[in-house]
Amino acid sequence: MSDRRFHVIPRTRPMSAFYLVVGLVLILTTGYRVLTEGAAVLPVVALVAALALVVTAVIGLVSPPTGR
């Protein structure tokens, strides 16, 4: 069997920083849209996904790199 695994947390700091920037941009733009146009379902889902992306990026930046 293959030894490959699915990893959610990025293994490198530059990729974690990229996730953080993308997540923050999504939070700002989607949050602005929710505040100005109202809380529709898809923008709220996008906002939750952006928050999850930021949390993932912060974990990747704080935790030491694992493995190979």
Side-chain angles (χ1 to χ4, degrees), residues 15-59:
M15 187 57 93
S16 294
F18 176 71
Y19 279 16
L20 183 62
V21 169
V22 169
L24 290 176
V25 168
L26 284 173
I27 287 173
L28 291 175
T29 57
T30 308
Y32 177 76
R33 185 173 181 186
V34 166
L35 289 175
T36 58
E37 298 178 8
V41 174
L42 288 179
V44 171
V45 170
L47 194 59
V48 170
L51 288 171
L53 186 62
V54 168
V55 168
T56 302
V58 169
I59 291 171

